[in-house]
Amino acid sequence: MKRRTFIKKAGIATAGMLAAPYLLPSGRLFAGTGDRLANHVVVVLFAGGVRHQESIDQSYLSAQGFATTGNLLQNMLVGNAPSTNLVYSPWQPILSSPLVKQGTLFKEMRYATGPTGHFNGHTAAITGNYTDVSLNLNLNPDFPTVFEYYRKHTDPARSAINSWWMSEGLGPYPALNYSRNGMYGPMYGANYLRPATTFGSYGLDYLSDAITFQPDDVVKINSMKSFLDKNFDKTAADYPGIINTPEDREKIKSFIYQTLNKTSTNQIEWPLPPGISTAELTGDLVNMAYAWQVLQNFAPELLVINSFDLDACHFNFTDYLSYMHKADYGVGWLWDKIQHDPVLANDTILICMPDHGRNELPNSVYDANGLRAFDHTSDENSRRLFALIVGPAARVKQDQVVGDLINPVGETIDLVPTVAHILGFHEYIPGGLLPGRILEEAFV
Amino acid sequence: MKYFKSLSALLLLSILFSGCKKDISQQVLYDNVIYEVNPVSVYANNAEKVKQKSSEQFISVLYSNLTNKSIPGDDLNNLAELALSFGDKELMNRVLLENMLGEPDIKIPTNEEMRSNIEAFVNETYLRFFLRNPTPYEKYFFKDLINKDASLTSEMVYVAFAQSNEYLFY
């Protein structure tokens, strides 16, 4: 056994692991249960409560009494950016063609029932069921999550390393990687990660002094642990949280140390345009940067991430606009990375959907620019949302817009059936669990 | 006669009340036996451990076991947040353990100390991590293991204990 500065060996081990990827170029080792549209799904919960007006309707400042309109989501939607009354710093789009050209936009969807709160919105999206649960309950949801459906109904059973849930913040969100449902639960859960903590200052402060053991030493340690465990009738399976296989744990541990090393040596690639300082990074962009690290290392079949900074709209409309613009850049950046990856390119479908909308009328707060703030208190406007489904032309209809204000198409709870359809396990989910439907309009 | 009747009634009441007198006793049950060398509570056996440690409890106890001092509040809060940031708690516990072992103020017996009195080391390790004495078989197993394997270090023994299932419970 040797002490070390914590990174070197972990980096070497990980390099070895990457040199011999455990996933085939198709991204799969085994035949799936059903027909698939793609082998990888990335879901971006474009969260924090997004007003339809400033996103899809491209109204920019018109709700604030200014005539200026324009498209803040230049990487996702077609439309010219605002040209006057700018309260944000425009970034050149990273995509030459917006995502809507590479997929289908569900322009008007509904968050039909239940409070339009963030935890409710996330829970509805991830479980496919609306919920009345109050905010900030650190409880795993009642209904199974999309991760559990995926792992239980995709044969042979998928390891947790193939499904990830990455949130911008903590709060109740770590609890969304598996449910309390007796037929599913932690054994089918996703690997949860909050990068801003694991790879942020806490990770760098507390995870930089690791010792490592030679493989022979690990065998001896495991042998002693095995002896100790035989003399105790309770297992670690009773411990809260998901369980990875020993092999996957080693891969993930190496990934953690390797990524900390890359962070501390400024080797993380950030979703920023050339020449833009890292001071411009937001929590959303940090989450997307590390989501790419996960995608690059593990090529998971199912990855769900969120952005959350847009929630600044409660008190700062100017920041809300800026964060929306930056989150759009992050989505475009992530898609661009995926399209340049040998495993993920042309075999990934991206779904981008807000957790819920935002009120039509402002609250009483004005920001420094005199712009009014908006809450989300379950008015009809806060039930308006959209979804963008992007993927290979052979599988996803390109440059298509579905639904309008008069005829909304789709609901929040349709996300889970749609993901299950893409990954080929929808028909194996027991009846009665998913009230939503597959958003079939998006697929060829 | 009247005096006699009063005396009889008093006597009867006295007998009645003395017959209803209840002996009150207090039974004190101790969860653990007090170990006489160090002031720590000791389990009679591992079957008494039925509750899982929370992340905070695990971190706090682990820090105490490795440093012989209490973890500062800020460190506990920060490490608890770190533990919360990853879904596989066992994996994160292992990562935290590896990093605590790398810190300079760790108090682990040296290999020489371990081998100078293996039985005492085994006893102390069981007490330190499991808060109980080893069974004769457990004691034999570790004494034999350490005697036979010169490359086995005290640090490796500590890691095995800290990663064991029993250590996750109290």
Side-chain angles (χ1 to χ4, degrees), chain A residues 1 3 192 194 198 202 206-207 209-211 220 225 229 231 234 236 238 240 244 249-250 253 257, chain B residues 46 49 52 75 78 81 85-90 93-94 98-99 101-102 149 151 155 163 165:
Chain A
M1 186 194 67
R3 291 187 182 276
Y192 170 76
R194 195 233 175 183
T198 309
Y202 287 174
Y206 292 99
L207 302 183
D209 296 314
I211 63 163
K220 290 172 184 173
K225 172 177 160 48
D229 289 348
N231 291 324
K234 296 171 191 64
D238 297 325
N244 285 286
R249 277 196 171 137
E250 288 306 311
K253 197 173 76 171
Y257 286 140
Chain B
N46 61 14
K49 298 174 184 175
Q52 294 171 356
D75 287 337
N78 297 344
E81 184 171 326
S85 75
F86 200 81
D88 187 334
K89 301 306 175 195
E90 269 195 273
N93 285 349
R94 189 184 305 177
E98 290 178 356
N99 281 277
L101 286 171
D149 188 349
S151 67
E155 199 168 29
Q163 289 184 4
N165 289 338

Side-chain angles (χ1 to χ4, degrees), chain A residues 359-441:
Chain A
N359 288 355
E360 183 171 8
L361 299 176
N363 60 26
S364 59
V365 179
Y366 291 80
D367 68 19
N369 287 322
L371 302 177
R372 303 195 69 169
F374 292 82
D375 299 321
H376 44 88
T377 57
S378 304
D379 78 343
E380 280 308 302
N381 203 64
S382 69
R383 299 192 179 281
R384 298 176 69 193
L385 67 154
F386 64 91
L388 189 55
I389 300 179
V390 180
R395 303 300 172 95
V396 178
K397 289 180 183 172
Q398 310 284 291
D399 197 14
Q400 177 185 224
V401 177
V402 176
D404 56 36
L405 183 58
I406 307 300
N407 296 300
V409 175
E411 292 185 36
T412 298
I413 56 172
D414 296 339
L415 179 71
V416 176
T418 303
V419 171
H421 174 65
I422 295 168
L423 291 176
F425 59 88
H426 181 258
E427 61 188 291
Y428 300 96
I429 297 174
L433 286 173
L434 292 177
R437 69 173 183 89
I438 300 165
L439 294 171
E440 290 176 330
E441 295 89 339

Side-chain angles (χ1 to χ4, degrees), chain A residues 55-58 71 73-79 98-100 105 328 386 388:
Chain A
S55 54
I56 294 297
D57 295 347
Q58 304 182 6
N71 178 21
L73 306 176
Q74 293 261 290
N75 289 284
M76 293 164 63
L77 307 176
V78 174
L99 290 173
V100 71
L105 172 67
D328 164 78
F386 64 91
L388 189 55

Side-chain angles (χ1 to χ4, degrees), chain A residues 3-39:
Chain A
R3 291 187 182 276
R4 60 168 172 84
T5 54
F6 75 104
I7 297 304
K8 189 180 285 183
K9 285 182 184 168
I12 293 169
T14 306
M17 185 182 86
L18 294 176
Y22 65 98
L23 288 171
L24 297 173
S26 66
R28 313 201 61 208
L29 282 175
F30 307 104
T33 307
D35 291 336
R36 293 177 153 202
L37 298 184
N39 287 311

Side-chain angles (χ1 to χ4, degrees), chain A residues 52-212:
Chain A
H52 221 270
Q53 283 82 351
E54 288 82 29
S55 54
I56 294 297
D57 295 347
Q58 304 182 6
S59 65
Y60 189 50
L61 292 179
S62 65
Q64 304 284 348
F66 294 87
T68 311
T69 60
N71 178 21
L72 288 166
L73 306 176
Q74 293 261 290
N75 289 284
M76 293 164 63
L77 307 176
V78 174
N80 293 326
S83 55
T84 56
N85 297 115
L86 293 185
V87 293
Y88 70 106
S89 301
W91 290 353
Q92 189 68 23
I94 190 168
L95 299 178
S96 56
S97 174
L99 290 173
V100 71
K101 293 283 185 186
Q102 303 172 55
T104 295
L105 172 67
F106 289 78
K107 190 176 179 180
E108 281 277 350
M109 290 176 66
R110 285 293 176 266
Y111 182 103
T113 62
T116 54
H118 298 303
F119 190 57
N120 308 83
H122 280 75
T123 303
I126 287 177
T127 66
N129 281 270
Y130 292 115
T131 174
D132 289 329
V133 175
S134 299
L135 284 173
N136 297 327
L137 288 179
N138 290 306
L139 286 176
N140 298 84
D142 292 322
F143 283 98
T145 62
V146 66
F147 312 111
E148 294 161 82
Y149 290 131
Y150 159 71
R151 289 190 59 200
K152 184 164 184 176
H153 300 296
T154 309
D155 267 344
R158 293 299 170 139
S159 69
I161 211 166
N162 258 323
S163 61
W164 290 74
W165 157 227
M166 300 174 64
S167 70
E168 187 274 335
L170 287 173
Y173 300 104
L176 289 178
N177 60 343
Y178 63 86
S179 72
R180 288 178 285 163
N181 187 290
M183 294 193 300
Y184 295 85
M187 71 183 72
Y188 301 108
N191 270 304
Y192 170 76
L193 174 62
R194 195 233 175 183
T197 300
T198 309
F199 305 123
S201 60
Y202 287 174
L204 293 170
D205 286 348
Y206 292 99
L207 302 183
S208 299
D209 296 314
I211 63 163
T212 191

